Every structure is written in C-alpha cells, then in structure tokens.
C-alpha cells in the first residue's frame, strides 16, 4: 500500500501536508469592494431599533457573544465570495441550541432578518449579510456529542469543521466521506446548508447521502429533531429538503453523520491526452466498464501549464490530463488499475503513469491540489460550478473555448469529470475597470450552456446571491413557486436569509408580507 | 382514469374535486385512502439511458422490469435493489418505477450504497392544483435550489403525482458471494453484522434470519476482489464462528422481498431502528417471526395483530404497518412540530387535500 487514506485527493488537505493556507491561497476573486449586487433595501424600522435589538440579545447571551460595534461587525461582512460585502447590523455567537433558540425567538418577535453562518467559506455569497440582519454564527459550537462505531455515526455540533469530524474518528480507522476542498475551514453547518460535495463523492455521495439527522431551530425559536441514528424518514423526507436549503429553513445546530471505515489503500494513475474529446471518451469508457473509481479529475492545458509553473508536479504538456484513483487492498487496486490502464491505452495517451509509491502518488495529486492556487498566481479568477451530463463534455469544452475568444478572457478547466461537475476558472484583471463585469457575463453564459445541455447552474457551491438571478434559466415560475412554498411553511415571515436563492422579483411579494 | 400524458394528468387533477387515489402498478397498497383511482400506467417508457453517464430517465408508469432489463443489457442496475412487494402483500400487477420512488422502496443493498432517495436525480410531477413542476435534473451533482426530489421520494403521492423520474444507476457486478454464520442469538448476530459493516471490506448485504438461524453477509465485485475480502471477513468474524459460503439461489431476493412472511397470516411491520437497539426492541415485540436486514437497522416483524408501537414504547426510528389493519396509524406518528411542518407542506402542495387523502397522517 502506497499511502494511507484519506490524503489522496486534492480535496484532501491533511495536516501533515504543507497545505494550511487553503482559505488564503484559494480566494476566488481578488478582494475588491463596491461591486454592485442588487439586495433588498434594508428595513429602516429594524435599523432604527438596533439598540433595543442588541440589548434584547444581550439579555439571553453573554455580552461577548453579541457583536454590534461597527468596526467589529466587519469581520462578518462577506464569505468566500469576497467581491460582495456588507457588514451586518450585529453578529451573535451562541454556544448551544438553547441559545440559538433564544436568539431566534427575539428576532422573530422583532421582525429582524437573520443570516446563519458557519465558517464563511461559501463561494456563492450564501452567508453574505444584509445591512439590517443579525449574523447567527455557529463557530463556537464545535463539540463532538457522541461517537458510535457499532452503529457507524458521529453526532456533532455543526460549527465543527469538516476535517475535524474525520479528525475525531480517524485514529479508530474511520472517516467522514464528504470532502470539500475547503474542508480544513468549512463547517458541517455550511456543508449541510449547501449540500457540499468533494472529489470522492463519485463513490461516497455528497452531504445529503451521509447525513442521518439534525437538530434544527426554526425561525420562531422552536427546536426540532429530524432523523437520528436510524435510516430514512418514516414520513416526509424533511431532512432531504433541509439539506441544501442554504440556511433558509432553519438554523441547524447539531448533526448525526454517517462514518465509514477507511479503505485499505488507494492509488492514482495519471493520463495525458492530445484532445479533451478523447479524454472525455476515456472517462465514459471507464465508467461503462464497470469499475467505479473514487475520483476522476480532469485538467486542461491552461491549468496544466499554470500548475506546472507553480507546483512542478512533472505533468506532461498536453491538452487534457486525467487523474483516476481507485481504492482497496493492493491486489484489488492492481486489478482495477489494470483494467483502467487497458482502456486508457486504447485511446493513445501521450502519458500514462501509475503511482509506484506514496511519493509518486503525492506528486500526481500535487498539481491538482495546487490548481486553484496556481491559477491565482497568474491572475484573478472566478470559479464556476455548473454540472453537465458527462456525455456533453467535449461539446461544452469546445463552446467554452469559443466563448473565451469572444469575451477575450482566458479560461482554465479543472473539474470532477466522473460526475460532470465542472469548475471553469475565468481569468480576469480585478484592477481593470469593467473586467469583473465582463467576467461575470461570461460566467453566466457558461452556466446557461450547462443548463442548455441538460445540466444545472451549480453542482456543489450553491445558489446564494451568485446564481440567484440565473434561476429563471433553469426553472419555470411554477418550479420556483413550489420551492418558495416550502420556505413559507418553515419560515412564514421570510426572515431567514431571504435575499438568497430566489430572484428578488420572485420572492418580493413574500419578503414584503 | 389513466391519463396518457403529463398534460392530460394535469388537466384531470385540475378538473377534479377528488379525492383521488394514485395508483402505479397497484402492487404496494400500503395504508388506506379512498377516492377515484388515478393511474399512471399509461405514462410509460424510458426516455433516456446514458450508460456512460450512469443515468436513466423514465416516465413514472414504466414497469420496473422494463428498466431492469434495459439496464442489464449494459451491465448496469438499480443499485438500491428495490423490493418487490407482490409476494408479501399478495398483489398482482406490474410494479412501476413511479411506485418505487413514491414509496422510497429499497432493498438489502441500501445499507451499503444508499436508498432509492439517494439515487434520485430529478422528478417531474403534477401537484394537487394541477401545476406541472420539475426539480433536480439528470446530472449527478446538483444543488440548484431546494431538493424537492428528496421531498417527493417517499411522499406516497400525497404531495403530487410523479410523471417522470431520473435516476443514477451503477455498474453490475461480476460476482456475488454470500457467507453465513450459524446459530447466533439476535444480539450477537447484530454485533457480528456491525463488525462486518465497520470493516473496509464493503459488504453489500447483511441480514439475520433467526428462524433459519443464519446470519448472512454478501460480497460483490470482481472475482479476485470478492475472494480476497471473503477471506479477510472470515478472519475478522472468526470470534463469532466459522463463516461458510452459502449457495442458495435467490438468497438476497428472499431477504429483499421478505418471502418468509408471504402467505403467512398476521400483520407485517417494517421498522427502521438504530441497529444496536434492534435485538432489545424485537424482544418486546411479541412477534411470530422477525427478519433483520441492514445490519439490524431494518426489522421486519410478523405479528398476530395489535399496535406494535404501543408494545415498544418510545424508540429511536419508525415503524410502518405494511400489511394488516388496526385501530392505529399506518405510518409512524410524527412529533408535533414535525407533524405541523408535514401538514403545512401538504396544504401547500395539495391545498384541496385531494391526493391520497389522509394516507400518511
Ligand atoms: C477554497 C475553497 C474550496 C472549496 N471547495 C469546495 C468543494 O470542493 N466542494 C464544495 O461543495 N464546496 C466547496 N467550497 C465552498 C464552501 O466551502 C462550502 O459551500 C461549505 O460547505 C461552506 O461551509 P461554511 O461553514 O463555510 O458555510 P458558510 O459560508 O458560513 O455558509 C454557507 C451557507 O450555509 C448557511 N448556514 C451556515 N450555517 C448554518 C446553520 N447553522 N444552519 C443553517 N444554515 C447555515 C449560510 O447561511 C449560507 O447560506 C469551497 C470554498 C473555498 C473557499
């Protein structure tokens, strides 16, 4: 066995790797203020009652847990989508479910908007405050409540970071499967709200497939328990609709998560091809052959070049590079890779390299892990997150490169090829007037293309404010109406994170009510 | 009424005062609701199967058998292994994919790969007002808007009538091997099953049949891999006894369909519980027979009637009366705040309360 799992994927930052700067290296858009995003006008009534609201909150929380100083609230002015900023009216950091309930009761009574927040790594602006809102951060709630190996679950407070969930069980040989590349920083709270994925979800599924239960506080302050150590719902699958609801249905304070025993080992193989079409075909052929790798990652030439300059992983210069990783015992890995290599060879690779040892495996993943950082070295960039049917890969890549010429902005593609979740990186210059706007326009066109070929606007980052105004491209009014009806039931006053997900004109009648 | 298109269905619902009883293949009459039958069997056919993308889209009335046959041609399958209820419930007819989804029907492999709901990528449905609604899509990763796909899966037609579903499918396997332990008591069997599920050997079925005295473990995959894992599992479980290979045809189909209870008089309950609670709960059931699946997380109980929930008292999980009648709800009553949310959702999706009225309450 070459190396211990789970340290393989680019989505697998490990504490023993020089990988600690993730949140810094990966800033998706150069910090810049003043970009316009339409948000509802803050409520003058709420703003005028700030002192009263703060004193009510201080009555139920320790003083230090209520942040209302204008300078201090700036710490919460944005999430990972740093182009958009707006300090909240105040921020609260409760320590447990009861305190969350007390806060929400007050906000509900006083009609104050609330924006839940985990670690603030959302790339969609999901945790962006409005000026009249209370940021409800769960970061202080990071305890492990229960670990149960016989029944294979862990129960945690949701402020706990994704990686430290695995951290709590890995010495016993277990892990929590969903592995967003932000896992060092992002919280289970945000993972649940965004239904986050990772490089290994081809095999293990995304958050919703690994979530067994939650404790949630609804906007009126009611504490509800959904699911638990058992599987599936006895009635309507409320857990299923809460996961991925972007903080709009309630504040999730505790979660029961499925844990699994680590596989015995894993090994990647690297393949280079002269065309993206051929690489796309290889992906399809592997999937059709009946092997199910844990990860199939794809990079195109611009990304390969950038990462080579940056990380010197020894990648071949070619049009398309694939990293395919399989798991199991040594012999099982050998057998699976033999089959995969045979398929790869049929398509005339310019390079085919199986990791011979842990060192080589590390180098194969190195470039992929550094891709975002490398692109960030050469330029500002915007990271998209659409999903397409795998079969449309060659067509979509061709269209993106044509559009890149039309817009005059370069694009690098790096993504989870096995499940069609693309992350085109559009390069732009944040200091050049109009470039970000051009970039956003280009991004919107790419996402529309994803929908056009049968895919969707976002595969794992969520809608937030970023894709809010594109929702009409994917959904008809009746589709959005049905989704908003769900929010009506959970949050009739539309106080929770209400300016997100739905185009403002769609949600306006409800927000005004 | 058996409309032929989604549009026709929408018109029927919009024009009806109900109540309507939604019928797929009619093979899973779980719970009671009255009203005119509204069937989906005429809306059928696979609309898309992309083997290289592991996706399949089909109209709701498509027979499961048709889907399984199409998948088998490409060496693929519905990995969640949907149960066929016909033997257990004594029904005839053709199970439809819409029925599978509406009842979130899964089988033994659920413990390893997930339930029907985990394989659902998208839905189209008509709500109780006659609106045509879509959610999700046909790609494997999709977080665009709320996940109504999950909400619809397992909603038993009470929120809307499914017209089309898209599913993730998985490759078939080269080999399946079943290993068995003999003569374990229930609690020890659950411990053995837990040990197997907590190992890295990827068992895809773990069931315990106290009547036959057998605890079953299934391994699937390429032949060499199965052989390797069988040996490792045998070593791991040695403290529970000697694992022996069992060569009974259709072994897992029997577990999936609970055929042991077919034709036997009595009520049939299905319970989802915390696995390590299972044996103690069974001891309170006063059941004629039980079958453990999902490593103890799923318990099937055959009883002489009466309210099983009353005998169990408070427990983590839920119990559904799959066959039989009584003076108690078929579905597990929800705690008050959840019941209010569920009722609120029904009122939004079916404001006139005409779809499978009262079924899940
Ligand atoms: C470098 C980088 C890499 C990333 N890679 C991935 C990736 O591989 N895969 C992926 O899926 N995502 C990725 N992301 C996006 C992001 O990390 C995820 O969306 C993550 O789940 C957000 O978690 P968070 O705790 O930071 O949430 P936040 O950003 O704080 O909030 C996200 C959303 O959750 C809501 N929320 C927060 N807490 C609660 C709560 N307690 N109850 C209810 N709602 C709540 C917020 O209102 C908001 O809408 C990446 C981000 C960065 C910066």
């Amino acid at each position: 066995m070459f190396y211990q799992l789970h340290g393989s994927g680019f989505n697998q930052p490990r504490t023993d790797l020089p990988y600690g700067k993730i949140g810094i290296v990966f800033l998706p858009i150069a910090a810049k203020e003043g970009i316009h995003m339409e948000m509802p006008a803050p409520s003058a009534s709420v703003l005028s009652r700030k002192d009263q609201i703060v004193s009510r909150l201080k009555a139920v929380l320790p003083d230090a847990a209520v942040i209302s100083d204008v300078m201090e609230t700036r710490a919460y002015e944005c999430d990972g989508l740093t182009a958009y900023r707006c300090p909240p009216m105040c921020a609260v950091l409760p320590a447990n479910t009861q305190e969350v309930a007390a806060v929400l009761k007050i906000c509900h009574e006083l009609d104050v908007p609330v924006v839940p927040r985990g670690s603030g790594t959302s790339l969609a602006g999901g945790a962006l405050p409005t000026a009249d809102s209370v940021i409800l951060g769960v970061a202080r709630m990071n305890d492990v409540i229960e670990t149960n190996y016989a029944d294979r679950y862990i129960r945690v407070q949701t402020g706990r970071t994704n990686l430290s969930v695995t951290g709590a069980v890995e010495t016993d040989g277990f892990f929590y499967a969903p592995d967003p590349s932000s896992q060092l920083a992002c919280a289970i709270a945000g993972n649940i709200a965004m239904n986050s994925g990772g490089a290994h979800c081809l095999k293990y599924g995304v958050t919703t497939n690994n979530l067994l239960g939650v404790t949630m506080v609804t906007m009126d302050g009611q504490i509800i328990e959904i699911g638990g150590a058992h599987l599936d719902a006895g009635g309507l699958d409320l857990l299923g609709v809460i996961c991925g609801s972007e903080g709009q249905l309630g504040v999730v304070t505790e979660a029961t998560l499925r844990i699994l025993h680590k596989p015995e080992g894993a090994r990647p193989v690297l393949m280079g091809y002269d065309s993206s079409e051929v690489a796309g075909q290889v992906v399809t052929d592997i999937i059709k052959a009946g092997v199910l790798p844990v990860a199939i990652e794809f990079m195109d030439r611009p990304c390969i070049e950038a990462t080579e300059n940056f990380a010197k992983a020894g990648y071949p210069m070619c049009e398309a590079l694939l990293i395919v990783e399989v798991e199991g015992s040594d012999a099982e890995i050998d057998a699976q890779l033999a089959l995969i290599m045979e398929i790869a060879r049929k398509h005339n690779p310019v390079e085919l390299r199986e990791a011979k040892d842990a060192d080589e495996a590390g180098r194969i993943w190195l470039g992929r892990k550094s891709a975002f950082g490398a692109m960030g070295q050469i330029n500002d960039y915007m990271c998209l997150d659409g999903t397409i049917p795998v079969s449309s890969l060659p067509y979509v890549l061709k269209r993106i490169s044509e559009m890149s010429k039309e817009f005059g902005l370069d694009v690098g593609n790096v993504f989870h090829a096995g499940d069609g979740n693309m992350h085109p990186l559009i390069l732009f210059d944040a200091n050049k007037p109009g470039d970000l706007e051009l970039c956003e326009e280009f991004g919107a066109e790419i996402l529309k293309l994803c929908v056009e070929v049968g895919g969707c606007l976002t595969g794992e980052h969520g809608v937030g404010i970023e894709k809010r105004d594109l929702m009409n491209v994917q959904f008809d009014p009746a589709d959005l109406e049905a989704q908003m009806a769900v929010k009506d039931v959970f949050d009739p006053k539309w106080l929770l994170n209400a300016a997100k997900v739905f185009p403002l004109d769609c949600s306006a009648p409800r927000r005004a009510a | 009424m058996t409309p032929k298109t989604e549009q026709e269905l929408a018109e029927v619902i919009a024009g009806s005062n109900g109540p309507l009883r939604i019928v797929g293949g009619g093979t899973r009459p779980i719970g009671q609701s009255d009203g005119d039958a509204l069937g989906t069997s005429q809306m059928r056919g696979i609309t898309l199967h992309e083997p290289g993308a592991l996706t399949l889209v089909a109209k709701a009335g498509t027979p499961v058998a048709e889907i399984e046959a199409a998948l088998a041609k490409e060496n693929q399958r519905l990995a969640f292994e949907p149960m066929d209820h016909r033997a257990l419930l004594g029904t005839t007819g053709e199970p439809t994919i819409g029925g599978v989804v509406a009842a979130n029907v899964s089988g033994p492999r659920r413990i390893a790969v997930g339930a029907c709901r985990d394989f659902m990528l998208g839905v189209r449905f008509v709500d109780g007002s006659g609106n045509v609604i879509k959610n999700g899509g046909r790609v494997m990763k999709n977080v665009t808007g709320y996940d109504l796909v999950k909400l619809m899966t397992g909603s038993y037609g009470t929120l809307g009538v499914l017209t089309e579903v898209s599913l993730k499918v998985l490759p078939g396997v080269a080999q399946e091997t079943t290993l068995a332990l003999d003569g374990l008591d229930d609690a020890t069997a659950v411990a053995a099953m837990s040990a197997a599920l907590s190992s890295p050997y990827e068992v895809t079925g773990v069931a315990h049949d106290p009547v036959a005295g057998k605890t079953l473990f299934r391994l699937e995959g390429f032949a060499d891999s199965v052989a390797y894992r069988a040996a490792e599992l045998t070593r791991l479980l040695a403290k529970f006894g000697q694992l022996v290979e069992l060569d009974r045809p259709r072994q897992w189909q029997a577990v999936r369909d609970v055929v042991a209870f077919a034709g036997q008089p009595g009520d049939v309950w299905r319970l989802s519980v915390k696995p390590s609670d299972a044996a103690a709960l069974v001891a309170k059931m006063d059941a004629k027979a039980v079958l453990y699946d999902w490593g103890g997380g799923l318990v099937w109980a055959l009883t002489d009637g009466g309210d099983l929930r009353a005998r169990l008292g408070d427990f983590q999980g839920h119990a559904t009366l799959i066959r039989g009648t009584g003076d108690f709800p078929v579905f597990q009553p929800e705690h008050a705040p959840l019941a209010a949310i569920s009722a609120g959702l029904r009122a939004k999706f079916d404001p006139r309360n005409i779809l499978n009225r009262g079924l899940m309450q």
Side-chain angles (χ1 to χ4, degrees), chain B residues 6-29:
Chain B
E6 182 180 79
Q7 201 43 47
E8 219 178 294
L9 173 72
E11 283 159 22
V12 168
I13 293 179
S16 160
N17 292 320
L20 297 169
R21 190 164 52 83
I22 321 304
V23 186
T27 67
R28 310 175 209 270

Side-chain angles (χ1 to χ4, degrees), chain A residues 149-151 153 203 208-209 231-232 237 248 261-262 264 332 387 391 419 421 458 460 474 479 483, chain B residues 50 110 117-118 134 141 143-146 194 197-198 200 202 225 228-229 272 274-276 318 337-338:
Chain A
Y149 293 122
D151 295 318
Y153 68 82
K203 177 168 178 193
T208 191
N209 311 114
L231 296 172
D232 304 336
D237 190 353
Q248 294 198 313
H261 196 286
K262 284 187 198 172
E264 291 178 84
E332 289 175 291
T387 308
S391 49
D419 46 34
N421 187 194
T458 169
E460 57 181 15
Q474 190 174 329
D479 304 331
Q483 295 177 36
Chain B
E50 265 189 37
R110 189 265 173 266
R117 54 95 78 181
D118 296 294
K134 67 169 180 301
K141 272 172 83 185
V143 295
T144 321
Y146 294 172
S194 282
L197 286 168
S198 303
E202 303 194 344
S225 165
Y228 165 78
R229 286 180 284 139
S272 175
K274 179 171 160 178
S276 56
H318 48 84
L338 293 193

Side-chain angles (χ1 to χ4, degrees), chain B residues 30-44:
Chain B
I30 296 163
Q32 291 281 321
S33 80
D34 39 47
D36 300 331
L38 174 57
T40 60
S41 60
Q42 299 276 326
M43 297 184 292
R44 61 182 281 179

Side-chain angles (χ1 to χ4, degrees), chain A residues 10-11 22-28 79-81 114-128 136-138 158-160 179-183 185-199 207 216 245-253 372 381 385 416 421 423 459-462 464 496-497 500, chain B residues 141:
Chain A
F10 94 100
N11 278 348
I22 185 160
I24 300 159
V25 176
F26 278 56
L27 274 188
D79 55 23
L81 186 65
V114 172
V115 176
R117 182 181 172 101
S119 300
T121 67
S122 168
L123 294 175
L128 176 76
L136 195 166
V138 293
T158 55
R160 193 169 183 87
D179 56 348
S181 39
S182 52
Q183 68 178 166
C186 67
I188 292 300
N191 291 177
I192 293 170
M194 293 313 202
N195 189 16
S196 301
T207 303
M216 185 174 90
S245 63
E246 305 205 11
Q248 294 198 313
L249 301 184
V251 176
V252 179
T253 57
F372 287 70
Y381 68 81
D385 170 48
H416 317 303
N421 187 194
H423 292 311
E460 57 181 15
H461 293 168
L496 259 179
N497 218 8
K500 317 286 169 65
Chain B
K141 272 172 83 185

Side-chain angles (χ1 to χ4, degrees), chain A residues 160-235:
Chain A
R160 193 169 183 87
T161 61
N162 174 293
L163 193 62
S164 68
V165 171
T166 289
V169 294
E170 72 184 340
T171 49
D172 294 300
F174 283 75
F175 73 110
Y176 173 59
D179 56 348
S181 39
S182 52
Q183 68 178 166
L184 206 57
C186 67
I188 292 300
N191 291 177
I192 293 170
M194 293 313 202
N195 189 16
S196 301
H200 293 75
C201 57
L202 188 57
K203 177 168 178 193
Y204 295 110
V206 295
T207 303
T208 191
N209 311 114
N210 293 277
L211 178 68
L212 295 170
V214 293
T215 300
M216 185 174 90
V217 187
T218 48
M219 188 62 217
D220 58 5
Q222 216 177 158
I223 298 170
I224 59 178
E225 296 288 342
I226 302 173
H230 60 277
L231 296 172
D232 304 336

